[in-house]
Amino acid sequence: MEGRLLLRLSFLLLLVGGAMALLLLLMHSGTQEDQLLAAASSVIGNHTLRKQQKKSVLREPRRGRDMFFEQVDHQKEVPHHPLDPLTIQEFSKVKRILSNYNPDTSSSIHSLVLEEPEKGEVLAWNKGKNPLPTRKASVVTLVGGRSHQLSIDLSSGHVVQDKVSTTSGYPPMTIEDMTAATAIPLADAEFNRTIRSRGVELADLACLPLTGGWYGGPEEDGRRLVKVQCYSMEGTANFYMRPIEGLTVLVDLDTKKVVKISDVGRGIPVPKAGGTDYRYESQKKNQHHKAGGQRLLNPISMEQHKGPSFKVVEGHQVRWGSWDFHLKADPRAGVIISQASFRDPVSGEPRSVLYKGSVSELFVPYMDPSDAWYFKTYMDAGEYGFGLLAMPLDPLNDCPRNSYYMDGVFASSDGTPYVRANMICIFESYGGDIAWRHTECPITGMQIREVRPKVTLVVRMAASVANYDYIVDWEFQTDGLIRGKVGLSGILMIKGSSHESVPMSRGGGNEEEDLHGTLLSENVIGVIHDHFITFYLDMDVDGSNNSFVKVELVKQATEAGESPRKSYLKARRSVAKTEKDAQIKLGLYQPSEFHLVNPTKKTRVGNPVGYKVVPAATAASLLDHEDPPQMRGSFTNNQIWVTPYNKSEEWAGGLLVYQSHGDDTLAVWSERNREIENRDIVLWYTLGFHHIPCQEDFPIMPTVSASFDLKPVNFFEANPILGMPPNFEMDLPVCAAASSSAYGS
Amino acid sequence: MEGRLLLRLSFLLLLVGGAMALLLLLMHSGTQEDQLLAAASSVIGNHTLRKQQKKSVLREPRRGRDMFFEQVDHQKEVPHHPLDPLTIQEFSKVKRILSNYNPDTSSSIHSLVLEEPEKGEVLAWNKGKNPLPTRKASVVTLVGGRSHQLSIDLSSGHVVQDKVSTTSGYPPMTIEDMTAATAIPLADAEFNRTIRSRGVELADLACLPLTGGWYGGPEEDGRRLVKVQCYSMEGTANFYMRPIEGLTVLVDLDTKKVVKISDVGRGIPVPKAGGTDYRYESQKKNQHHKAGGQRLLNPISMEQHKGPSFKVVEGHQVRWGSWDFHLKADPRAGVIISQASFRDPVSGEPRSVLYKGSVSELFVPYMDPSDAWYFKTYMDAGEYGFGLLAMPLDPLNDCPRNSYYMDGVFASSDGTPYVRANMICIFESYGGDIAWRHTECPITGMQIREVRPKVTLVVRMAASVANYDYIVDWEFQTDGLIRGKVGLSGILMIKGSSHESVPMSRGGGNEEEDLHGTLLSENVIGVIHDHFITFYLDMDVDGSNNSFVKVELVKQATEAGESPRKSYLKARRSVAKTEKDAQIKLGLYQPSEFHLVNPTKKTRVGNPVGYKVVPAATAASLLDHEDPPQMRGSFTNNQIWVTPYNKSEEWAGGLLVYQSHGDDTLAVWSERNREIENRDIVLWYTLGFHHIPCQEDFPIMPTVSASFDLKPVNFFEANPILGMPPNFEMDLPVCAAASSSAYGS
């Protein structure tokens, strides 16, 4: 029992931590650093492969990588670019410097990343000509309940700044926080009694450390809290479908004590395990039964017999078509795109578009006010770390053939570096779309049928925030467009219920409304919730100084006798002077374009050179602005914001989001109403989803996606892909079957 | 000169008519019917190929078709399904019946298509068991200024109905109408003088027959009118960029006389030809110059070494994955999808989803009230014929390898059938997207990384409405989702201007606003305009009788002491009783889901079986409801409408749209406020675009796309693609280069 429980424990502890946790265990058994690295890598390398083979599922042996790309040796890595992330050697150096500076920080490191040089320095840096700017590390530690933001100079080896935070909130939980949190209830007699009274064996327990937000209660003051809820793993890999409903354990992360156990779910059965497993191994069994309904599809693959057209230079610099940009993994943002520039089709000169783009924060409020649910209003980047939750991608399925896989190198809570392999992939995409076309009538002197296929470059990561999976794509197009796309998949957060069928009276349906969601299966409710993903977009359109221009389409009535028409639409341009001019709520009947222009640059005929942000399907937060979760997530009060560039304003919910009161958010900064005309400005765009679950989301959700575009608007003199060639038969590959096949056509 | 002018003419005449026009010429030279067919086919067959080879551009020899699909011999075609379009033989029979019935119709046939059997008959029809329902033809003719709608029984050989229209408006123009219209001005001395005074040679003239809508003027009453505007073809294939601005010739289509010449553009220069040609041949010349800016991409191709997974049975029945549907070309709608059903993953039984889906009408108002522009408010389906303007697709560029190409067989104005080859393509698409995924933390007993790639089936056509190209995709997904997608490309409708640069005073910018658009190049203005595409969606969700349910997400305040939360969102369901309950305007801050449910069918746990229409990015018409164009386009007053099924209500702008007064539109029908609960109902969705042109749209536009989804919502008991397998390396093809290559990597 002991051993079994321990194994389970180690599992629980790891639910959120992913690979980091393995390290943790190894560290406890006193392993050396490079062994750690090996181990960490192996988590997705041989380890995975072995596991899979045991299940007789063969995984792609990184074919793309082997064929066209070199594997990076992180042990030997050195920085080549001012924005390159910290290397293994640099992490180790930081660790040494810190332990000399203040031993208390040795296991309380909540964030450790490169401190990017001043923007001016980076822009001035000239590859080859200049040496790299001084390498610095930015560290957030928690000492004696106070958050410290340290700046460490790697050349001098000194801590050059130690700023104690003045705002509310704490840094993201560490793995120790989470592991301890999920373990603590098991030491509690009342908890164990309750679990058994629900008919669940402790050995089958899976518990999650759920962030509780902040509601202004006195018990929340001056201490870091987390709420633990548990599930039964008995009979399914998909334990999320088997909640022990209504049982919430409030835990103090620092005293490591149970503060309060709330058990309001007695009598609510744990939903059945049947039909919840989604793994191929378990599905294969009923393939034949299914065959009637599911005609299997023949294989289809994007093939590039000459290899991909993009290059990854010195680890992080991506070159494709007319695009150049810097790419790196970040523990909090996930993916960071930097210095994206587009080579002008006429001059051949690179022109800047985006200095830095990343996911800044997420906000995921659930719509159930009851005791076990009201607090579920997650801010995944600032509470858990969006990048830390990005698991290794699955070659051939997460990303197509010929993808390049980039690893993340992160620090665990004592500064020990580890590798998150295959965290990001880069690939070219062609799905049959058309870049541009025109056909004239087929006869006459000019027989014209000119069509160009559309090929794009995709940068992808997938973060698994416990149950949910977020697929984040940055798509670069040959015509200068950048698309930010978020796909939602994974598993719903489920509420246990005594209902086995939808309560009747569908007319009024009040009873049903009180479910706060949809009954997906017997005793299983998918609770209504929203997802908001706020993007940080430091646009540098043909230079750093830009202006935000709102181009409204307004209905114009014609004057008497002016025209047989009574009305038409007119474009009215207004330049935002200050931040409040750029607080934008979208409306179908108040259509506008939103341009970022360089007021000092014009096209040949005099249009200001610009890019526009083009929203697509999205959702707005409707919560009360005075509701504590919305105060913390107030960066979703508008869909678009523009702020003057400020190095410290990077995280829309604040640097310290955990239990924050909302006193350091984008909304607060923007209220300062600073001048933004002809300045270095930052665009913030929030992508939203309302999710009313349906049975198709059970037991795992088909991907739902939404996106926004950054699109050139008079940035070029003309269509930049005028010169691209069409496809010719002779250039396409000739393909044949490989050896044996797993399934027929 | 004569001959040269004649050639030009024949060209002008054909601008809108496409292949039909070739027939016209041949007919004039008295060719026999089957020669016509051959000729018509050859337009895109050898003819094209020869042309291309002359330009040393090799086109794809229909590889996909040859490899995996049989070519249809239209001469031998016979109907297999009640909805199969009229065959060559049937067209010829109709022609004979008509000439016996009323010789006056012999050259006044404005529409000739299959008259689909009653819906009940079609649903009851049982392949193999029942014979085909009686084949009928529906013909619209114009005799003595009156529109007749004839119903012809092909078995009895009789005209069984001859309905004279009672509403305003006329049927679409015939090719004769258009050819005559564009020729008439050239016989006018004043016109010729004007042209020469603009410095344009008559031989370089390209003229378009532009529909003028209706504005209630007395001169519009009782006669069919068209407005002719002309361009200079001198020095470019892209004559659209060289308007003879302000010159509008009003022509009577029946008397074939010039009614009025309006010349308000004297002094506006014809914009220069330089930089307007977009053809690869002319672009190739400056490839090397461009090479600095444009790194060429290596070839990329979707390869299916085992062939496509879809089948086209008996010409029009498509089977793919769990989907079955009927597909045909239509001269007015373009593509018609019928009887789309999805095989239930559990029972294996087909379940109906969509009885009929098609583009019903388009509305494209330009936003310039001046004399030469105010009337440009096109309704392309009802005025020109959206399907008639769908040109042959370009293999490898319009559609990828392994596409199946479906032809259209249409009738010219005297009933003579002809073939529009390669009008529709069908292909499978995989661009690297993910159907669903979940990763667990990589260690523990359950090491989980389950990901499924996303493959879809696309049905595509591309209509070239003179300058503009509309790419219409119907995308079918394995999870039961149907996406309707419209891509806009092609060439802008340009306004000539004396401006060579943008008028200053950007602050107020009033001067610039009066351009009614954007200066794209010297003397070239891209005028602001909207595009609306209204879809007819006869949903039969698991049966014909459905209800429309609005699921509103409303903010709910918590009661005192109920919860630390102040607010949350609640889903409130309301069933639409009558049409007015289903007149929907979308709003970001009034979020709703829009379900079509079968009230008589429930899932195991009691949710009503349904589909929802999911709008994405779209635009609404802001024109004054009393403005004549908006009265005619009033079907765009809402984004969503629901009407009871009525066989005669298929065209949102009315059957007779040409010069209609808006007295027979969807808006008028819906005002009758009929009952729609638990009935056979039709969903109407309008997709909209606002287009403020930018220089990137010059001289040809990169594609801009928008879409909407029809998505299962509790239609299935669970995720229907749970059982689909992941990709395995061993199943993917091994590819090599073909022989020689046109361009390197």
Side-chain angles (χ1 to χ4, degrees), chain A residues 185 188-192 194 247-250 258-263:
Chain A
D188 186 283
E190 184 191 343
F191 176 80
N192 295 1
T194 312
L247 178 63
T248 311
V249 184
L250 181 66
V258 169
V259 176
K260 181 165 158 247
I261 295 182
S262 170
D263 188 1

Side-chain angles (χ1 to χ4, degrees), chain B residues 406-424:
Chain B
M406 186 180 285
D407 305 333
V409 181
F410 301 144
S412 58
S413 57
D414 73 341
T416 310
Y418 68 95
V419 175
R420 173 64 48 84
N422 286 23
M423 173 177 157
I424 302 171

Side-chain angles (χ1 to χ4, degrees), chain B residues 551-572:
Chain B
V551 184
E552 288 171 281
L553 275 173
V554 294
K555 179 167 97 176
Q556 178 84 41
T558 54
E559 283 152 31
E562 179 189 1
S563 167
R565 280 274 282 274
K566 281 190 163 54
S567 63
Y568 61 97
L569 298 190
K570 206 164 193 177
R572 192 156 291 157

Side-chain angles (χ1 to χ4, degrees), chain A residues 1 67 74 170 325 360 540 555 569 693 706:
Chain A
M1 181 64 190
M67 273 186 68
H74 296 292
Y170 301 103
F325 59 92
S360 176
D540 278 13
K555 178 168 101 176
L569 298 191

Side-chain angles (χ1 to χ4, degrees), chain B residues 342-355:
Chain B
F342 192 96
R343 215 171 276 267
D344 189 87
V346 177
S347 71
E349 288 305 307
R351 297 170 63 193
S352 65
V353 174
L354 177 71
Y355 180 74

Side-chain angles (χ1 to χ4, degrees), chain A residues 709-723:
Chain A
D709 294 342
L710 300 171
K711 190 170 196 261
V713 55
N714 305 313
F715 186 81
F716 300 110
E717 291 292 345
N719 180 340
I721 50 173
L722 204 54

Side-chain angles (χ1 to χ4, degrees), chain B residues 518-533:
Chain B
T518 310
L519 194 69
L520 304 178
S521 173
E522 290 76 4
N523 310 114
V524 174
I525 291 174
V527 175
I528 297 166
H529 58 282
D530 291 340
H531 298 267
F532 300 103
I533 303 94

